[in-house]
C-alpha cells in the first residue's frame, strides 16, 4: 500500500512530500497543493499522513536494551543494589521474580512503549544463567512476538552472571541459541569470569558453531579493558568474523591515552567491530569513533529496573543524554547524536545497512531507503532533542504503527 507523508521536513530541512511503498521510500518531492488532482488518471489514491510540518527522521534503533529486567509501568521501588556487576546481578536475581507482573508482561509493555515513542529496530538482551534458565529469554521472545508487526527485534542470549562462575551457564547459553537466539552474548572476560581465554573460547566457539554474531558487555576500565578488547579483536580476525562483533559499553575507550586509543580504533575499524553505547556519565570519544569509521549505536540499557531507576522507553531522551554527557552544544554535533541513535544503531543490527560516513552525515531519508521513520515536533532536530515533545508518528515497513502514543 502506498503511503504519502505530506508536508514533512526530512532532517529538519525544507518541507516535502515523502512517498512510501513496498517498505521503502519511493519518492521525495515538493509539497503537493492540497486538493490537487493526480496527474495519472489511472492511479489509485494513496493514504496520507498529515505531517503538519513536523521533522522526519529515520526511526530510532535501540541496540542495547534489557527488556527482561524492566519495571516500567509498575510502582516505583527504591534502589537496593550495591556497586559491582556481580552484586548488582545478585540484587536483580533476588527481586525479579517478585514483581507485580510477570516478566513477559513487563517486557511486552516496555517494548510497546518504546515503539510508541519512535523505536522500530531493537537489539535486546535476555539473561540466561543457571538461576533463570530460559525463563527470561522466553519472555523477550514473547514480547517480540506480540509486537512482531510493529518492530524488528533481535534477541541476544546474555550470560549476565558470567560463564564460569556457576555450573551450567554455558549449557543454558547454548540452549538459547538452539531455540533461536540471534546473537551470542558475553561479559567482562577478565573482571567477572577471571579467565578471558576460557570465556572467549565459549562465546566465539558457540558463535562459530551456530553461525551467529557476538555482542560482549565490556565494563572493564582502562588497561584491563584494552587487554580484553585486544583479545576480542584477535578472535574476530582468526575466525573471519569481520562485521559480526559488537562491544557494548566499552568504557575503556574513554580512558586510554591518545596513542593507545588511536591504534585500538584503527584495529577495530579494520575488523569492522562496532560499539554500542548507553551514553554513560563518562562519555566515549564519539567523534573519534565516527572519524575512524567505526559503527556506533545507542541504547537505553535497563529501563527502571533492579539495576537502576533510570530509563523511560524514550530513545529521544537517551539521545539528549548522549549529547549532554559529551558536552555537545553545536547543532551539528547534537544532530550527530540523533544520527547515531537512528542510522548508527541500524547499521549495528544489520552490517550491510547504510552507515554513517562522518559526523556531518544525515542519511536514511532518500529514495530506496527503508521506510523506518518517525515524525517529531520541533523547530529543528536540535530543538526536538532538547524538548522531547509527544505527538510522534511512527512508521515501520511503510505502515503507521503508532501515532501520538506516550507513557502516562
Amino acid at each position: 500500500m502506498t503511503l504519502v507523508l505530506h508536508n514533512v521536513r526530512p532532517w529538519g530541512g525544507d518541507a516535502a512530500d515523502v512517498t512510501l511503498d513496498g517498505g521503502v521510500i519511493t519518492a521525495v518531492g515538493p509539497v503537493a497543493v492540497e486538493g490537487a488532482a493526480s496527474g495519472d488518471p489511472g492511479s489509485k489514491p494513496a493514504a496520507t499522513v498529515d505531517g503538519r510540518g513536523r521533522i522526519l527522521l529515520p526511526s530510532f534503533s535501540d541496540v542495547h536494551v534489557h527488556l527482561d529486567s524492566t519495571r516500567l509501568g509498575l510502582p516505583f521501588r527504591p534502589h537496593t543494589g550495591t556497586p559491582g556487576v556481580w552484586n548488582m546481578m545478585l540484587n536483580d536475581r533476588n527481586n525479579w521474580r517478585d514483581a507485580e507482573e510477570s516478566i513477559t508482561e513487563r517486557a511486552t509493555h516496555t517494548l510497546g512503549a518504546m515503539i510508541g515513542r519512535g523505536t522500530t529496530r531493537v537489539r535486546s538482551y535476555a539473561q540466561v544463567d543457571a538461576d533463570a534458565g530460559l525463563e527470561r529469554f522466553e519472555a523477550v521472545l514473547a514480547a517480540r512476538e506480540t509486537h512482531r508487526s510493529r518492530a524488528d527485534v533481535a534477541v541476544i542470549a546474555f550470560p549476565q552472571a558470567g560463564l564460569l562462575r556457576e555450573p551450567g551457564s554455558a549449557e543454558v547459553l547454548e540452549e538459547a541459541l538452539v531455540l533461536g537466539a540471534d546473537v551470542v552474548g558475553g561479559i567482562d572476560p577478565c573482571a567477572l569470569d577471571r579467565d578471558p581465554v576460557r570465556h572467549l573460547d565459549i562465546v566465539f566457539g558457540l558463535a562459530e558453531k551456530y553461525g551467529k554474531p557476538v555482542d560482549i558487555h565490556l565494563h572493564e576500565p582502562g588497561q584491563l579493558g584494552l587487554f580484553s578488547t585486544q583479545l576480542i579483536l584477535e578472535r574476530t580476525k582468526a575466525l573471519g568474523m569481520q562485521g559480526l562483533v559488537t562491544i557494548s559499553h566499552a568504557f575503556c575507550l574513554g580512558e586510554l591515552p591518545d596513542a593507545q586509543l588511536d591504534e585500538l580504533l584503527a584495529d577495530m575499524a579494520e575488523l569492522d567491530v562496532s560499539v554500542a553505547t548507553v551514553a554513560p556519565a563518562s562519555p566515549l570519544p564519539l567523534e573519534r569513533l565516527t572519524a575512524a569509521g567505526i559503527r556506533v549505536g545507542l541504547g537505553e540499557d535497563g529501563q527502571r529496573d533492579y539495576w537502576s531507576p533510570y530509563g523511560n522507553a524514550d530513545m529521544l531522551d537517551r539521545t539528549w543524554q548522549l549529547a549532554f554527557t559529551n558536552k555537545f552544544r553545536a547543532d551539528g554535533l547534537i544532530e550527530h547524536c540523533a544520527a547515531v541513535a537512528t542510522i548508527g544503531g541500524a547499521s549495528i543490527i544489520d552490517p550491510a545497512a547504510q552507515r554513517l560516513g562522518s559526523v556531518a552525515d544525515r542519511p536514511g531519508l532518500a529514495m530506496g531507503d527503508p521506510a523506518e521513520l518517525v515524525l517529531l515536533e520541533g523547530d529543528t532536530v536540535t530543538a526536538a532533542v532538547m524538548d522531547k515533545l509527544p505527538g510522534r508518528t511512527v512508521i515501520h515497513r511503510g505502515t503507521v504503527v503508532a501515532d501520538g502514543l506516550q507513557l502516562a
Side-chain angles (χ1 to χ4, degrees):
M1 175 182 170
T2 302
L3 180 67
V4 175
L5 308 181
H6 171 66
N7 187 22
V8 299
R9 293 183 292 127
W11 281 106
D14 294 337
D17 282 358
V18 177
T19 304
L20 317 176
D21 199 2
V24 298
I25 297 172
T26 56
V28 179
V31 176
V33 177
E34 191 171 351
S38 168
D40 178 4
S43 65
K44 296 180 180 179
T48 302
V49 170
D50 186 358
R52 306 194 312 272
R54 285 177 291 172
I55 295 169
L56 180 68
L57 294 182
S59 60
F60 294 107
S61 303
D62 189 328
V63 295
H64 186 115
V65 65
H66 294 263
L67 286 173
D68 66 326
S69 67
T70 177
R71 281 188 54 84
L72 279 181
L74 299 184
F76 185 82
R77 281 191 181 186
H79 179 63
T80 54
T82 56
V85 171
W86 183 256
N87 292 334
M88 294 294 289
M89 186 281 299
L90 290 178
N91 180 64
D92 177 85
R93 180 178 285 183
N94 290 336
N95 286 285
W96 70 270
R97 289 186 175 91
D98 298 329
E100 296 85 341
E101 293 183 354
S102 72
I103 189 63
T104 297
E105 291 171 314
R106 287 180 277 146
T108 301
H109 168 81
T110 295
L111 180 56
M114 291 165 59
I115 295 166
R117 292 189 166 198
T119 298
T120 68
R121 293 171 281 205
V122 178
R123 216 170 188 240
S124 175
Y125 300 91
Q127 183 169 327
V128 291
D129 59 28
D131 172 74
L134 296 170
E135 186 175 349
R136 296 169 71 136
F137 172 72
E138 291 170 344
V140 176
L141 292 184
R144 176 172 72 177
E145 177 64 18
T146 296
H147 294 289
R148 67 184 184 279
S149 64
R150 306 179 69 215
D152 293 325
V153 180
V155 181
I156 305 166
F158 178 49
Q160 178 73 76
L163 288 168
L164 305 176
R165 297 178 67 139
E166 297 176 319
S169 298
E171 288 76 10
V172 74
L173 176 61
E174 181 166 12
E175 192 174 353
L177 293 167
V178 171
L179 294 176
D182 301 292
V183 183
V184 185
I187 182 171
D188 294 339
C190 293
L192 186 60
D193 267 346
R194 303 175 185 177
D195 190 338
V197 173
R198 286 180 62 203
H199 182 96
L200 295 176
D201 278 347
I202 294 170
V203 171
F204 279 90
L206 290 173
E208 185 178 28
K209 180 177 180 179
Y210 292 97
K212 302 292 185 182
V214 165
D215 184 300
I216 297 180
H217 271 56
L218 196 63
H219 308 94
E220 297 169 359
Q223 296 301 308
L224 183 61
L226 171 63
F227 175 65
S228 287
T229 302
Q230 290 170 333
L231 293 181
I232 293 167
L233 297 182
E234 288 177 5
R235 300 294 181 116
T236 303
K237 184 175 183 178
L239 294 176
M241 291 186 63
Q242 289 87 340
L244 297 175
V245 175
T246 299
I247 300 177
S248 285
H249 293 307
F251 294 142
C252 65
L253 297 181
E255 302 167 346
L256 299 176
D258 284 347
Q260 280 188 332
L261 179 61
D262 287 341
E263 183 178 355
L264 183 62
L265 295 185
D267 291 342
M268 291 174 66
E270 182 180 356
L271 294 170
D272 197 12
V273 170
S274 60
V275 173
T277 185
V278 298
S282 299
L284 303 188
L286 190 62
E287 294 171 85
R288 292 173 72 173
L289 287 167
T290 304
I294 294 170
R295 290 175 290 132
V296 186
L298 181 64
E300 297 175 86
D301 210 354
Q303 301 292 285
R304 187 180 288 184
D305 56 14
Y306 300 104
W307 289 70
S308 165
Y310 293 94
N312 58 4
D314 190 351
M315 276 289 287
L316 188 58
D317 187 62
R318 190 52 58 105
T319 302
W320 178 93
Q321 183 174 319
L322 183 63
F324 181 78
T325 55
N326 278 276
K327 299 181 175 65
F328 290 160
R329 296 190 180 189
D331 285 14
L333 291 174
I334 294 170
E335 286 190 13
H336 177 56
C337 291
V340 167
T342 57
I343 293 298
S347 71
I348 289 181
I349 294 170
D350 179 8
Q354 189 174 21
R355 305 183 179 200
L356 293 174
S358 71
V359 168
D361 202 11
R362 303 289 180 266
L365 300 180
M367 287 179 59
D369 288 338
E372 303 290 328
L373 306 165
V374 60
L375 286 166
L376 303 173
E377 299 280 1
D379 296 330
T380 66
V381 174
T382 297
V385 173
M386 294 299 114
D387 295 337
K388 303 179 286 289
L389 297 173
R392 306 172 197 176
T393 300
V394 186
I395 295 161
H396 173 55
R397 297 184 182 179
T399 300
V400 174
V401 294
D403 198 356
L405 300 180
Q406 58 181 310
L407 288 174

Coordinates of all heavy atoms in Angstrom, one line a residue, residues 3-51:
L3 N 1.8 5.0 0.9 CA 1.5 6.0 1.9 C 2.3 7.2 1.6 O 3.5 7.2 1.3 CB 1.9 5.4 3.3 CG 1.7 6.3 4.5 CD1 0.2 6.5 4.8 CD2 2.4 5.7 5.7
V4 N 1.7 8.4 1.7 CA 2.3 9.7 1.5 C 2.4 10.4 2.8 O 1.4 10.6 3.5 CB 1.6 10.5 0.4 CG1 2.2 11.9 0.3 CG2 1.6 9.8 -0.9
L5 N 3.6 10.8 3.1 CA 3.8 11.7 4.3 C 3.8 13.1 3.8 O 4.8 13.5 3.1 CB 5.1 11.4 5.0 CG 5.3 9.9 5.4 CD1 6.7 9.7 6.1 CD2 4.2 9.4 6.2
H6 N 2.7 13.8 4.0 CA 2.5 15.1 3.4 C 3.0 16.2 4.4 O 2.8 16.3 5.6 CB 1.0 15.3 3.2 CG 0.6 16.7 2.8 ND1 1.0 17.3 1.6 CD2 -0.1 17.7 3.4 CE1 0.6 18.5 1.5 NE2 -0.1 18.8 2.6
N7 N 3.8 17.1 3.8 CA 4.3 18.3 4.5 C 5.2 17.9 5.7 O 4.9 18.2 6.8 CB 3.2 19.2 4.9 CG 3.7 20.5 5.5 OD1 4.8 20.9 5.2 ND2 2.9 21.2 6.3
V8 N 6.3 17.2 5.4 CA 7.2 16.8 6.4 C 8.6 17.5 6.1 O 8.8 17.9 5.0 CB 7.4 15.3 6.6 CG1 6.1 14.7 6.9 CG2 7.9 14.7 5.2
R9 N 9.5 17.5 7.1 CA 10.8 18.2 6.9 C 11.9 17.1 7.2 O 12.3 17.0 8.3 CB 10.9 19.4 7.8 CG 10.0 20.5 7.4 CD 10.2 21.8 8.3 NE 9.8 21.5 9.7 CZ 10.5 21.7 10.7 NH1 11.8 22.2 10.6 NH2 10.1 21.5 11.9
P10 N 12.4 16.5 6.2 CA 13.5 15.5 6.4 C 14.7 16.1 7.0 O 15.2 17.1 6.5 CB 13.8 15.0 4.9 CG 12.5 15.3 4.2 CD 12.0 16.5 4.7
W11 N 15.1 15.5 8.1 CA 16.2 16.0 8.9 C 16.1 17.5 9.2 O 17.0 18.2 9.4 CB 17.5 15.7 8.3 CG 18.0 14.3 8.5 CD1 18.0 13.3 7.5 CD2 18.5 13.7 9.7 NE1 18.5 12.1 8.1 CE2 18.8 12.4 9.4 CE3 18.7 14.2 11.0 CZ2 19.3 11.5 10.4 CZ3 19.2 13.4 11.9 CH2 19.5 12.0 11.6
G12 N 14.8 18.0 9.3 CA 14.6 19.4 9.7 C 14.7 20.4 8.6 O 14.7 21.6 8.8
G13 N 14.9 19.9 7.4 CA 15.2 20.8 6.2 C 13.9 21.3 5.6 O 12.9 21.5 6.3
D14 N 13.9 21.5 4.3 CA 12.7 22.1 3.6 C 11.6 21.1 3.6 O 11.8 19.8 3.6 CB 13.1 22.4 2.2 CG 14.1 23.5 2.1 OD1 14.2 24.3 3.0 OD2 14.8 23.6 1.1
A15 N 10.4 21.6 3.6 CA 9.2 20.8 3.6 C 9.1 20.0 2.3 O 9.5 20.4 1.2 CB 7.9 21.7 3.7
A16 N 8.6 18.7 2.4 CA 8.5 17.8 1.3 C 7.3 16.9 1.5 O 6.8 16.7 2.6 CB 9.8 17.1 1.1
D17 N 6.9 16.2 0.4 CA 6.1 15.1 0.5 C 6.9 13.8 0.2 O 7.7 13.8 -0.7 CB 5.0 15.1 -0.6 CG 3.8 16.1 -0.2 OD1 3.9 16.6 0.9 OD2 2.9 16.2 -1.0
V18 N 6.8 12.8 1.1 CA 7.6 11.6 1.0 C 6.7 10.5 0.8 O 5.8 10.2 1.6 CB 8.5 11.4 2.3 CG1 9.2 10.1 2.2 CG2 9.4 12.6 2.5
T19 N 6.9 9.7 -0.3 CA 6.1 8.6 -0.6 C 6.7 7.3 -0.2 O 7.9 7.1 -0.5 CB 5.8 8.6 -2.1 OG1 5.2 9.9 -2.5 CG2 4.8 7.5 -2.5
L20 N 5.9 6.4 0.4 CA 6.4 5.1 0.8 C 5.6 4.0 0.1 O 4.4 4.1 -0.1 CB 6.2 4.9 2.3 CG 6.6 6.1 3.2 CD1 6.2 5.8 4.7 CD2 8.0 6.5 3.1
D21 N 6.3 3.0 -0.3 CA 5.6 1.8 -1.0 C 6.6 0.6 -0.9 O 7.8 0.7 -1.1 CB 5.3 2.1 -2.4 CG 4.2 1.2 -3.0 OD1 3.7 0.4 -2.2 OD2 3.9 1.3 -4.2
G22 N 6.0 -0.5 -0.6 CA 6.8 -1.7 -0.5 C 7.8 -1.7 0.6 O 8.9 -2.4 0.5
G23 N 7.6 -0.9 1.6 CA 8.5 -0.9 2.8 C 9.7 0.0 2.6 O 10.6 0.0 3.4
V24 N 9.7 0.8 1.5 CA 10.9 1.7 1.2 C 10.3 3.1 0.8 O 9.1 3.2 0.5 CB 11.8 1.2 0.1 CG1 12.4 -0.2 0.5 CG2 11.1 1.0 -1.2
I25 N 11.2 4.0 0.9 CA 10.9 5.4 0.4 C 11.0 5.3 -1.2 O 12.0 5.0 -1.7 CB 11.8 6.4 1.0 CG1 11.7 6.5 2.5 CG2 11.6 7.8 0.3 CD1 12.7 7.4 3.2
T26 N 9.9 5.7 -1.8 CA 9.9 5.7 -3.3 C 10.0 7.0 -4.0 O 10.3 7.1 -5.1 CB 8.7 4.9 -3.8 OG1 7.5 5.6 -3.3 CG2 8.7 3.5 -3.4
A27 N 9.7 8.1 -3.2 CA 9.8 9.4 -3.8 C 9.9 10.5 -2.7 O 9.3 10.3 -1.6 CB 8.6 9.7 -4.6
V28 N 10.7 11.5 -2.9 CA 10.8 12.7 -2.1 C 10.6 13.9 -3.0 O 11.5 14.1 -3.9 CB 12.1 12.8 -1.3 CG1 12.2 14.0 -0.4 CG2 12.4 11.5 -0.5
G29 N 9.6 14.6 -2.8 CA 9.3 15.7 -3.7 C 8.7 16.9 -3.1 O 8.5 16.9 -1.9
P30 N 8.3 17.9 -3.9 CA 7.7 19.1 -3.3 C 6.4 18.8 -2.7 O 5.7 17.9 -3.0 CB 7.6 20.1 -4.5 CG 7.6 19.2 -5.7 CD 8.5 18.0 -5.3
V31 N 6.0 19.7 -1.7 CA 4.7 19.5 -1.1 C 3.6 19.8 -2.1 O 3.5 20.8 -2.8 CB 4.6 20.5 0.1 CG1 3.2 20.4 0.7 CG2 5.7 20.2 1.1
A32 N 2.7 18.8 -2.2 CA 1.6 18.9 -3.2 C 0.6 20.0 -2.7 O 0.3 20.1 -1.5 CB 0.9 17.6 -3.4
V33 N 0.0 20.7 -3.6 CA -1.1 21.6 -3.3 C -2.3 20.8 -2.8 O -2.7 19.8 -3.5 CB -1.5 22.5 -4.5 CG1 -2.6 23.4 -4.1 CG2 -0.3 23.3 -4.9
E34 N -2.9 21.1 -1.7 CA -4.0 20.4 -1.1 C -5.2 20.4 -2.1 O -5.5 21.4 -2.7 CB -4.4 21.0 0.2 CG -5.4 20.1 0.9 CD -5.7 20.7 2.3 OE1 -5.0 21.6 2.8 OE2 -6.6 20.1 3.0
G35 N -5.7 19.2 -2.4 CA -6.8 19.1 -3.3 C -6.4 19.0 -4.7 O -7.3 18.8 -5.6
A36 N -5.1 19.0 -5.0 CA -4.7 18.9 -6.4 C -5.0 17.5 -7.0 O -4.8 16.5 -6.3 CB -3.2 19.3 -6.6
A37 N -5.4 17.4 -8.2 CA -5.7 16.1 -8.8 C -4.4 15.4 -9.2 O -3.4 16.0 -9.5 CB -6.6 16.3 -10.0
S38 N -4.4 14.1 -9.2 CA -3.3 13.3 -9.6 C -3.1 13.5 -11.1 O -4.0 13.5 -11.9 CB -3.5 11.8 -9.2 OG -2.5 11.0 -9.9
G39 N -1.8 13.5 -11.5 CA -1.5 13.6 -12.9 C -1.8 12.3 -13.7 O -1.8 12.3 -14.9
D40 N -1.9 11.2 -13.0 CA -2.2 10.0 -13.6 C -3.6 9.6 -13.3 O -4.0 9.2 -12.2 CB -1.2 8.9 -13.0 CG -1.5 7.5 -13.7 OD1 -2.3 7.4 -14.6 OD2 -0.8 6.6 -13.2
P41 N -4.5 9.7 -14.4 CA -5.9 9.4 -14.2 C -6.2 7.9 -13.7 O -7.2 7.7 -13.0 CB -6.6 9.6 -15.5 CG -5.6 10.3 -16.4 CD -4.2 10.0 -15.8
G42 N -5.3 7.0 -14.0 CA -5.5 5.6 -13.6 C -4.9 5.3 -12.3 O -5.1 4.1 -11.8
S43 N -4.2 6.2 -11.6 CA -3.6 5.9 -10.3 C -4.6 5.8 -9.2 O -5.6 6.5 -9.2 CB -2.5 6.9 -10.0 OG -3.1 8.2 -9.8
K44 N -4.3 5.0 -8.2 CA -5.2 4.8 -7.1 C -4.8 5.9 -6.0 O -3.6 6.2 -5.9 CB -5.0 3.4 -6.5 CG -5.5 2.3 -7.4 CD -5.4 1.0 -6.7 CE -5.8 -0.1 -7.6 NZ -5.7 -1.5 -7.0
P45 N -5.7 6.5 -5.4 CA -5.4 7.5 -4.3 C -4.6 6.8 -3.2 O -4.9 5.7 -2.8 CB -6.7 8.0 -3.8 CG -7.7 6.9 -4.2 CD -7.2 6.2 -5.4
A46 N -3.5 7.5 -2.8 CA -2.7 6.9 -1.7 C -3.2 7.4 -0.4 O -3.8 8.5 -0.2 CB -1.2 7.4 -1.9
A47 N -3.0 6.6 0.7 CA -3.2 7.0 2.0 C -2.3 8.1 2.4 O -1.1 8.1 1.9 CB -3.1 5.8 3.0
T48 N -2.7 9.0 3.2 CA -1.9 10.2 3.5 C -1.8 10.4 5.0 O -2.8 10.3 5.7 CB -2.4 11.5 2.9 OG1 -2.5 11.3 1.4 CG2 -1.6 12.7 3.2
V49 N -0.6 10.7 5.5 CA -0.4 11.2 6.8 C -0.1 12.7 6.8 O 0.8 13.1 6.0 CB 0.8 10.4 7.5 CG1 1.2 11.1 8.8 CG2 0.4 9.0 7.7
D50 N -0.8 13.5 7.5 CA -0.6 14.9 7.6 C 0.6 15.2 8.5 O 0.5 15.0 9.7 CB -1.8 15.6 8.1 CG -1.6 17.1 8.0 OD1 -0.6 17.6 7.6 OD2 -2.6 17.9 8.4
G51 N 1.7 15.5 7.9 CA 2.9 15.8 8.7 C 2.9 17.0 9.5 O 3.7 17.2 10.5

